[in-house]
Amino acid sequence: AQRVTQPEKLLSVFKGAPVELKCNYSYSGSPELFWYVQYSRQRLQLLLRHISRESIKGFTADLNKGETSFHLKKPFAQEEDSAMYYCALGGSNYKLTFGKGTLLTVNP
Amino acid sequence: KAGVTQTPRYLIKTRGQQVTLSCSPISGHRSVSWYQQTPGQGLQFLFEYFSETQRNKGNFPGRFSGRQFSNSRSEMNVSTLELGDSALYLCASSLEWRGDTGELFFGEGSRLTVL
């Protein structure tokens, strides 16, 4: 079975502070991990994928297969980063399994 | 190019009725997925279609069904509505499942309220 856990429903940080959104997964096969983001009044959209190993909007995420984690990090949070963040797991069965999401608020 | 379009955007039904939701994918996209989004459960997978074939179905009762047409447009139907079916129903499309980028493009959703 595929399962994604995001332990924090809410995360509040100040502008300029580091931020880490946690994601743990359970999957017996070779996982593909994603972070999706939903800004206020916008559609859910892809932020980054583990396979691309790129930094998007200053965010990075490293897949740790030993700890089955895919935490999202940014060294200096900005107010425009305030959004709902979803970690998602893709397998070979044509579906994404999403975590329940973490609402990030970046305070001025 | 135009994004994923879902209609209707909002609808109100009563228990026992049925509802049909429509999704037009991005032009050229052949894979269409449906998700139910609720505050308590988050995003839950309903089904995925490719070339008119359902390739996977989530853990929902048989009252939830879907189909895909030859032009890749998709519909989902919920019969005998229950209060718990109130949710935002999201459609997402991609060229092929996971394709080159693994990216799903989401619509704005159809918000269903069951009274």
Side-chain angles (χ1 to χ4, degrees):
Chain A
Q2 297 177 209
R3 188 159 56 234
V4 176
T5 303
Q6 294 180 249
E8 304 132 331
K9 282 188 178 179
L10 304 169
L11 185 61
S12 182
V13 300
F14 285 103
K15 177 183 173 182
V19 63
E20 181 179 45
L21 291 86
K22 291 184 167 47
C23 172
N24 288 90
Y25 68 91
S26 173
Y27 184 59
S28 56
S30 182
E32 291 195 19
L33 275 299
F34 307 86
W35 278 97
Y36 278 78
V37 61
Q38 189 165 29
Y39 301 102
S40 179
R41 299 196 186 96
Q42 293 189 28
R43 305 175 185 219
L44 191 59
Q45 58 187 285
L46 178 68
L47 180 62
L48 54 79
R49 307 168 294 142
H50 90 267
I51 200 167
S52 61
R53 296 183 145 271
E54 56 193 344
S55 172
I56 303 290
K57 297 185 179 182
F59 284 98
T60 59
D62 290 317
L63 178 60
N64 185 323
K65 290 188 179 180
E67 296 183 358
T68 59
S69 68
F70 188 57
H71 303 327
L72 183 68
K73 300 176 185 179
K74 185 169 183 176
F76 308 103
Q78 303 299 313
E79 289 180 67
E80 55 266 30
D81 296 329
S82 295
M84 191 73 168
Y85 290 81
Y86 294 94
C87 182
L89 167 66
S92 58
N93 53 3
Y94 312 111
K95 75 172 187 181
L96 282 183
T97 298
F98 286 85
K100 293 192 177 181
T102 298
L103 181 62
L104 173 66
T105 302
V106 180
N107 301 296
Chain B
K1 56 185 173 183
V4 176
T5 304
Q6 292 187 246
T7 56
R9 291 290 316 283
Y10 302 92
L11 64 166
I12 299 174
K13 294 285 187 179
T14 56
R15 278 180 298 175
Q17 287 187 310
Q18 74 164 14
V19 66
T20 298
L21 308 178
S22 180
C23 172
S24 292
I26 291 172
S27 177
H29 285 192
R30 296 168 66 192
S31 172
V32 174
S33 304
W34 289 89
Y35 291 82
Q36 181 194 64
Q37 186 177 29
T38 58
Q41 298 300 318
L43 283 140
Q44 293 191 287
F45 173 76
L46 281 156
F47 10 71
E48 191 265 357
Y49 289 90
F50 180 81
S51 291
E52 302 178 67
T53 299
Q54 185 184 89
R55 297 194 293 190
N56 197 0
K57 187 180 193 307
N59 213 11
F60 280 82
R63 301 185 295 107
F64 291 80
S65 62
R67 57 179 175 168
Q68 186 181 34
F69 302 96
S70 57
N71 61 358
S72 294
R73 192 177 68 84
S74 178
E75 288 181 347
M76 66 163 283
N77 184 277
V78 188
S79 63
T80 321
L81 284 166
E82 299 177 1
L83 295 178
D85 297 332
S86 295
L88 181 67
Y89 290 87
L90 291 172
C91 171
S93 75
S94 63
L95 279 168
E96 162 57 281
W97 172 249
R98 297 213 300 273
D100 289 329
T101 69
E103 181 171 2
L104 294 186
F105 293 84
F106 282 85
E108 293 180 289
S110 292
R111 184 165 295 283
L112 171 65
T113 301
V114 182
L115 301 176

